[in-house]
Amino acid sequence: MLPVDAAQLNHNPPPKNAKPVTVEKSGRRPHRYWIVCIITRSSRAPPTVRIVHSGHACNVEEERHTERVYTIREGETLELTCLVTGHPRPQIRWTKTAGSVSDRFQDSSVFNETLHISKIQRHQGGRYYCKAENGLGSPAIKSIRVDVYYLDDPLVTVHQSVGEAKEQFYYERTVFLRCVANSNPPVRYSWHRGRDVLSQGSDKGVEIYEPFFTQGETKILKLKNLRPQDYANYSCIASVRNVCGISDRNIVFKLTNKTASPSIKLLVEDPIVVNPGQTVSLVCITTGGEPNPTLSWVSSSDSLPEKSVVKGGTLTLPAITSDEAGVYSCVASNNVGNPAKKSTTIVVRALKKGRFWITPDPYHNDDNIQIGREVKISCQVEATPPEELIFGWLKNGRAMRSSERMVITQTDPDISPGTTNLDIIDLKFTDFGTYTCVAALKGGGIPEISIDVNISSTTVPPNLTVPRGKSPLVVREGDTVELECLVSGKPKPIILWSRADKEAPMPDGSLQAESYDGVLRIVNVSREMTGSYRCQTSQFNGFNVKPREAVVELIVQYPPSVEPVLLEMRQGLGRPVVMNCRVLRAHPSRVLRYEWRLGNRLLHAGHFDQSDETEYTVKSLNREGWGEYTCDVNNEAGAGRCTFLVTGKAYPPEFYYDTYSPLWQNRPTVYGFKLQWTQMNPNAVDRIVAYRLGIRQTGLQRWWEQEIPVDGTITKGELNTHNLTELIKPAAYEVRLTPITRFGEGDSTIRIITYSGEFHCSFEEEPICMFTQDKNDDFDWTRHSAATRDTKYTPNTGPSDDRSGSKQGFYMYIETSRPRKEGEVARLVSPFFNVVPKNPYGIANPPAYCFSFFFHMYGKHIGTLNAFLRQKGQTAAEGPAWSLSGNQGDRWKQAKVSIHPTASFQVVLEGIRGPGIEGDIAIDDVTLEEGECRDLPPISKHKNTEGGVYP
């Protein structure tokens, strides 16, 4: 990278304000750097952006409205680069949309220039946007549509018409062969019988068509009234015409007179009832089908259990559990007709969740149990299978039978299934005792469940109260709190807790929480948990009466939430500083006290009245006023703090990244660099009096520093320039720049300077890389883009986009419309590049440079394009180093030529107007790099020098 002439800096004495810097290099003698600070005018620029690609693109073409389409094959690497200009350096963001819905874009929403997706998949296609903004004007946005191409293996399925379906294909039957393959772009199909190509009309017994109910380009081969010659091998070839290098895919299906859809048989019962822990084997066999069907197993739970074993048509489930119960299906497929499917249900026997409740006499409005009244005891369990469930009742350990006064009901249709009732009519004193409900399954093998219920004179319905002092309950955020309801009664019921003031989940996420002791414990209580909580009795394991309930109020106190939590305030001496601390939320909020401090020194204190904010002002900032100011806002629960860091530290400088490339200097072992930057918010603090420049070779530890004095006041957007010289090739350097004010050092900015030995210009910026128009020619080259250039008068000439394929990209061209005349010349001259002899007596082996550029010469009146080498000190112009004439077609081509200058030099691009107006010549992407040209294109018949032209 090398654009400007450094001869003036290298040969002229340093200015008065320059100071030498000595830098030691490992293994070398110290070098002296002359530090020169040059202040120029403002150079702020809004962002521009264009997207270029690299990687494995199959094709890049234009859509309407200049949007681009990038085609890539699935599995390749997508790499898009967003080229931006503008100052300050724009921030870049990639996003993606799919249709009208914005993707979350987890794998591709990035904040750097290059978007990289390895092994791209079909679902990652869509429109990608690059957005650049730097606060000047509107953000620059460019988009490109990425189209992912793929072709899956085709699949052939065979069908008969429904009314004619049989186990096998006989004569006078109609058969359909359907071929389908997933693809992008749309696939084309062709059919072969053996080696013969089948097409519509080639065989009276064959039709190839695309019915309305199929999608895309699915092709169906119809064989009418099967003939002996129809029994053959059929090939379906799917093709996307080798787009993206995707080769054709094909599949072969053999049709015989035995071809038939699959049929299967399950060698198991339905349902299968087993005990937990047993090993279950399901056997499925094929009973028909040609070709031989493939067997697979599926489960109603979407996936087979992890420990299941499938071997052929046998599915084995070792040590089965209740969670593995469900429907299991055997599926057979051979692509003929519909797949065959047989299913069976596995039932794993189980008993769980035993519970009871007591119902006092339903005919009297009394919740108590009294002698002479009726009492019902209900017992419920969950059983699998439910039809095997059996109940038994015991009284004080002895079996009971149903009688006129002791009525046992095995199932109650009015309540949940799996429930048994014991009705005690005309309760007597002798009926007091322990009643046991026993649940079992008929088949055995499962432990039975027994539930004891005590009926006595002390059996009383529940009562629920809140202890004194437990509501409202006031706690602080982060504490552990226990909400309590006292419950009495025998038997003691379960307590259910829920929110009473709103439909919201409990702290554990459930809508209801169970408690056996009436206490709800909440750990690390938060402010969102403030509110009313309801406790109520459950009918289960207790009385089946109207639930008792109570409400507990919970109040969570928390310290004030304030803003700003942390704010940096940069200000110069003698200026006012106003700090404002605002309360967002607090509980309690009625008594709030604030304290302003600088470090540990109390500045001001007071109470909030009607306002929710407090303000502190430093009327005139002095050196003692720099530091950390805090405002603590206190209530009973604690304090919230606003922090203000008041400083005179200058903001960091912003390097101007659109700087042209490093400078070639007069010695072959060194190079220079023009460092350019603007100062962020220079007026926010005291005047910047100097910059501290630090420089070190990458990989080394030691920094060499020098202050660069600044005369006068730097304004916002003003461009500062400093030349770094004597940088050793090809080393890279880390440069650190720090502004200095009366406060001291400000924030630093670091960048890396890398030597590449290359100069590149794509004419995207208005300065056109320091190229100039020759003052002695007849007319000038014109900078333009295809998106803005008006070619309505000469539509058959000139490029339709720049060399990268963008209609927004810029290039240079000669406009040959009137008043231009045949033979008139336009010359574009590069900046000087310095070459100095290694000895004062001349160059025995002059250095070589490769000069290359892209050109577009389209139109029937194209004249000549010449490239010259112009060296300092030469009076007579040499012949062109490269030359080409005539129409070269509507496309960009590359030219390369090796040059061997013996002194500082320029390259000149000369366009000569042809015999008519359709003769516009364009150039783009001019490059100069050290060394001989490599990979030279073939020598053109129009070429009369040592270079070449790419076709």
Side-chain angles (χ1 to χ4, degrees):
M1 297 168 57
L2 18 113
V4 265
D5 183 8
Q8 182 178 355
L9 288 175
N10 292 327
H11 295 297
N12 292 346
K16 294 180 179 180
N17 63 348
K19 296 184 179 180
V21 180
T22 302
V23 181
E24 293 182 359
K25 304 297 178 183
S26 178
R28 303 174 184 265
R29 63 182 178 84
H31 289 266
R32 305 201 82 194
Y33 289 79
W34 287 102
I35 307 299
V36 183
C37 181
I38 304 172
I39 308 298
T40 66
R41 298 301 299 164
S42 172
S43 185
R44 298 173 67 85
T48 66
V49 61
R50 63 190 181 103
I51 298 175
V52 298
H53 64 85
S54 60
H56 301 84
C58 304
N59 187 33
V60 179
E61 59 186 25
E62 302 296 331
E63 277 190 322
R64 295 179 59 193
H65 309 299
T66 73
E67 293 176 328
R68 306 172 72 198
V69 182
Y70 180 99
T71 306
I72 188 171
R73 185 169 57 191
E74 187 174 44
E76 301 287 5
T77 298
L78 173 68
E79 193 165 280
L80 301 175
T81 301
C82 196
L83 299 182
V84 298
T85 63
H87 187 69
R89 178 70 168 172
Q91 291 185 341
I92 298 172
R93 177 169 183 175
W94 283 97
T95 56
K96 178 197 168 193
T97 59
S100 59
V101 181
S102 177
D103 278 356
R104 292 186 178 180
F105 201 34
Q106 296 174 353
D107 58 341
S108 301
S109 183
V110 294
F111 294 88
N112 54 30
E113 288 85 350
T114 301
L115 172 68
H116 184 93
I117 302 177
S118 299
K119 297 181 180 178
I120 191 169
Q121 300 300 306
R122 59 193 66 180
H123 69 274
Q124 292 174 305
R127 185 163 299 283
Y128 288 80
Y129 291 85
C130 175
K131 178 180 179 182
E133 52 186 338
N134 65 354
L136 296 177
S138 301
I141 301 176
K142 283 291 184 292
S143 70
I144 187 169
R145 182 164 65 85
V146 175
D147 205 357
V148 182
Y149 278 4
Y150 58 91
L151 175 60
D152 293 340
D153 289 330
L155 177 68
V156 169
T157 55
V158 183
H159 304 271
Q160 282 183 276
S161 56
V162 177
E164 300 173 346
K166 299 290 183 182
E167 290 186 0
Q168 294 184 345
F169 291 93
Y170 297 104
Y171 292 111
E172 299 183 359
R173 301 296 181 192
T174 298
V175 175
F176 302 89
L177 276 69
R178 181 175 183 266
C179 185
V180 61
N182 295 320
S183 75
N184 181 33
V187 68
R188 292 180 182 175
Y189 301 91
S190 58
W191 285 97
H192 292 72
R193 179 195 285 137
R195 296 184 178 180
D196 298 331
V197 178
L198 296 178
S199 59
Q200 186 67 27
S202 63
D203 187 327
K204 293 183 179 179
V206 174
E207 286 186 10
I208 301 176
Y209 66 105
E210 181 181 346
F212 291 111
F213 57 81
T214 63
Q215 188 174 8
E217 291 194 13
T218 301
K219 285 294 184 290
I220 291 181
L221 179 67
K222 179 180 179 182
L223 306 176
K224 301 180 292 184
N225 295 328
L226 284 178
R227 304 160 299 175
Q229 62 265 35
D230 292 332
Y231 297 117
N233 289 334
Y234 290 87
S235 300
C236 172
I237 301 175
S239 174
V240 290
R241 286 78 67 195
N242 203 37
V243 169
C244 266
I246 299 175
S247 58
D248 296 350
R249 308 288 179 89
N250 71 81
I251 188 171
V252 178
F253 186 89
K254 184 176 182 179
L255 182 67
T256 71
N257 60 358
K258 295 182 179 180
T259 299
S261 57
S263 59
I264 56 175
K265 183 178 181 181
L266 280 181
L267 304 182
V268 293
E269 297 178 353
D270 184 34
I272 304 172
V273 181
V274 296
N275 288 332
Q278 284 186 234
T279 296
V280 181
S281 292
L282 307 180
V283 181
C284 176
I285 61 172
T286 59
T287 58
E290 177 70 29
N292 193 34
T294 300
L295 298 177
S296 61
W297 285 91
V298 295
S299 169
S300 56
S301 60
D302 296 332
S303 60
L304 295 175
E306 290 185 4
K307 61 184 179 181
S308 62
V309 179
V310 178
K311 188 175 182 181
T314 302
L315 170 65
T316 302
L317 303 172
I320 196 167
T321 64
S322 298
D323 294 336
E324 295 168 350
V327 178
Y328 289 81
S329 302
C330 175
V331 180
S333 175
N334 65 352
N335 294 340
V336 180
N338 296 320
K341 183 177 181 180
K342 296 285 186 180
S343 303
T344 186
T345 302
I346 298 179
V347 178
V348 180
R349 304 166 80 243
L351 282 175
K352 55 185 178 180
K353 287 191 177 178
R355 53 189 184 178
F356 75 91
W357 57 95
I358 304 169
T359 306
D361 191 344
Y363 303 104
H364 297 81
N365 189 18
D366 194 338
D367 291 340
N368 291 294
I369 295 177
Q370 298 182 17
I371 300 295
R373 301 279 180 86
E374 181 180 336
V375 175
K376 178 188 288 186
I377 305 173
S378 302
C379 174
Q380 185 186 57
V381 297
E382 293 182 14
T384 304
E387 61 270 13
E388 288 193 10
L389 179 63
I390 55 174
F391 286 107
W393 283 91
L394 306 176
K395 178 184 178 185
N396 297 327
R398 299 180 62 183
M400 297 179 63
R401 292 185 178 180
S402 186
S403 64
E404 292 184 358
R405 207 170 60 81
M406 297 281 186
V407 181
I408 298 175
T409 306
Q410 286 288 346
T411 56
D412 188 341
D414 296 332
I415 56 177
S416 301
T419 304
T420 181
N421 295 324
L422 171 63
D423 281 290
I424 305 175
I425 301 171
D426 188 14
L427 182 69
K428 300 182 181 299
F429 181 79
T430 56
D431 294 330
F432 290 152
T434 300
Y435 292 84
T436 303
C437 163
V438 181
L441 293 178
K442 292 177 182 179
I446 302 296
E448 60 186 22
I449 293 177
S450 62
I451 304 167
D452 292 336
V453 184
N454 290 311
I455 301 294
S456 69
S457 58
T458 60
T459 302
V460 293
N463 187 34
L464 199 62
T465 59
V466 178
R468 179 177 297 179
K470 292 293 186 177
S471 181
L473 201 59
V474 180
V475 297
R476 291 189 178 182
E477 192 171 40
D479 290 349
T480 296
V481 62
E482 291 185 346
L483 308 185
E484 186 177 356
C485 284
L486 294 178
V487 59
S488 61
K490 190 174 182 181
K492 199 172 184 181
I494 297 173
I495 301 300
L496 301 177
W497 286 93
S498 60
R499 296 295 295 262
D501 55 343
K502 54 186 174 181
E503 292 186 5
M506 298 294 288
D508 64 356
S510 62
L511 292 178
Q512 280 189 334
E514 290 187 351
S515 170
Y516 290 88
D517 58 359
V519 175
L520 175 65
R521 191 167 188 264
I522 305 176
V523 179
N524 192 21
V525 67
S526 65
R527 63 192 68 180
E528 292 79 13
M529 298 177 187
T530 296
S532 302
Y533 290 79
R534 179 188 296 109
C535 60
Q536 64 180 26
T537 58
S538 168
Q539 68 171 3
F540 303 117
N541 297 347
F543 274 76
N544 182 23
V545 295
K546 184 178 180 181
R548 275 61 165 165
E549 65 178 47
V551 174
V552 177
E553 293 289 337
L554 177 64
I555 300 173
V556 181
Q557 295 183 341
Y558 53 89
S561 295
V562 296
E563 68 174 9
V565 176
L566 176 64
L567 179 64
E568 184 183 57
M569 305 183 72
R570 306 195 187 204
Q571 188 61 279
L573 295 175
R575 303 179 189 174
V577 178
V578 179
M579 292 162 279
N580 186 286
C581 183
R582 188 162 71 94
V583 179
L584 302 176
R585 296 174 301 276
H587 189 83
S589 59
R590 61 185 181 275
V591 180
L592 293 178
R593 175 179 172 81
Y594 62 83
E595 292 181 350
W596 283 94
R597 294 179 181 271
L598 173 56
N600 295 322
R601 180 162 59 94
L602 180 64
L603 301 174
H604 181 56
H607 292 83
F608 284 91
D609 297 322
Q610 302 298 322
S611 175
D612 60 354
E613 59 185 35
T614 173
E615 185 177 282
Y616 184 79
T617 302
V618 179
K619 295 182 179 179
S620 179
L621 185 66
N622 55 29
R623 294 182 179 273
E624 290 72 26
W626 283 323
E628 185 177 274
Y629 291 77
T630 57
C631 176
D632 290 335
V633 181
N634 299 272
N635 66 358
E636 298 173 16
R641 170 171 287 186
C642 296
T643 301
F644 302 87
L645 184 60
V646 178
T647 174
K649 179 187 290 189
Y651 285 96
E654 296 178 310
F655 284 116
Y656 193 74
Y657 277 85
D658 296 334
T659 301
Y660 299 114
S661 309
L663 308 172
W664 280 352
Q665 294 187 199
N666 289 347
R667 299 206 309 276
T669 59
V670 298
Y671 71 102
F673 188 82
K674 180 182 286 187
L675 199 65
Q676 299 182 85
W677 72 93
T678 58
Q679 178 60 46
M680 180 188 295
N681 300 332
N683 300 322
V685 295
D686 286 326
R687 184 179 74 83
I688 295 172
V689 297
Y691 284 94
R692 176 163 287 116
L693 173 69
I695 182 170
R696 69 176 176 184
Q697 191 171 330
T698 54
L700 301 183
Q701 295 294 323
R702 188 171 183 180
W703 287 89
W704 296 97
E705 295 184 333
Q706 174 66 37
E707 285 193 4
I708 306 172
V710 175
D711 296 329
T713 301
I714 296 177
T715 59
K716 186 174 183 179
E718 185 175 348
L719 189 65
N720 305 276
T721 303
H722 177 77
N723 284 299
L724 302 176
T725 61
E726 303 291 333
L727 306 180
I728 300 174
K729 294 180 182 178
Y733 290 85
E734 190 173 0
V735 176
R736 180 176 63 200
L737 200 61
T738 309
I740 301 173
T741 63
R742 285 190 290 174
F743 173 83
E745 293 190 356
D747 291 332
S748 300
T749 300
I750 294 178
R751 72 164 299 177
I752 301 294
I753 296 173
T754 304
Y755 178 77
S756 68
E758 177 183 311
F759 167 76
H760 177 81
C761 183
S762 58
F763 304 111
E764 295 302 316
E765 298 301 319
E766 185 60 45
I768 59 173
C769 316
M770 300 186 185
F771 272 86
T772 57
Q773 307 281 354
D774 193 336
K775 296 180 180 179
N776 298 318
D777 57 6
D778 300 310
F779 65 107
D780 288 342
W781 288 78
T782 303
R783 175 179 174 268
H784 239 309
S785 67
T788 57
R789 181 184 173 199
D790 185 2
T791 59
K792 62 183 179 180
Y793 296 112
T794 54
N796 299 316
T797 187
S800 57
D801 47 33
D802 76 346
R803 203 280 299 179
S804 67
S806 170
K807 291 190 181 300
Q808 280 73 35
F810 285 86
Y811 54 85
M812 302 295 291
Y813 81 103
I814 59 170
E815 177 56 67
T816 57
S817 301
R818 294 178 179 84
R820 302 278 71 85
K821 298 178 182 179
E822 183 176 3
E824 289 188 335
V825 173
R827 296 189 189 94
L828 194 63
V829 183
S830 78
F832 265 105
F833 302 109
N834 294 319
V835 174
V836 172
K838 296 180 181 179
N839 60 74
Y841 305 105
I843 295 180
N845 296 307
Y849 302 96
C850 182
F851 176 56
S852 67
F853 56 93
F854 283 83
F855 62 89
H856 189 282
M857 300 171 67
Y858 171 57
K860 61 183 180 181
H861 300 141
I862 290 291
T864 300
L865 177 61
N866 295 320
F868 292 92
L869 173 64
R870 179 187 292 178
Q871 302 189 69
K872 268 192 175 181
Q874 289 183 344
T875 55
E878 297 180 354
W882 182 96
S883 180
L884 190 62
S885 301
N887 186 356
Q888 302 298 314
D890 188 11
R891 57 177 175 161
W892 288 94
K893 299 180 180 181
Q894 189 180 24
K896 284 186 176 183
V897 58
S898 294
I899 57 177
H900 303 83
T902 58
S904 298
F905 67 96
Q906 296 169 294
V907 289
V908 180
L909 288 164
E910 178 185 74
I912 302 176
R913 202 255 197 192
I917 62 173
E918 295 182 24
D920 295 351
I921 298 174
I923 58 171
D924 201 358
D925 288 343
V926 178
T927 303
L928 184 68
E929 55 186 334
E930 296 174 343
E932 297 279 355
C933 291
R934 298 180 180 179
D935 303 324
L936 275 175
I939 300 298
S940 168
K941 64 181 180 179
H942 301 278
K943 185 76 180 59
N944 59 8
T945 59
E946 55 184 312
V949 179
Y950 275 123

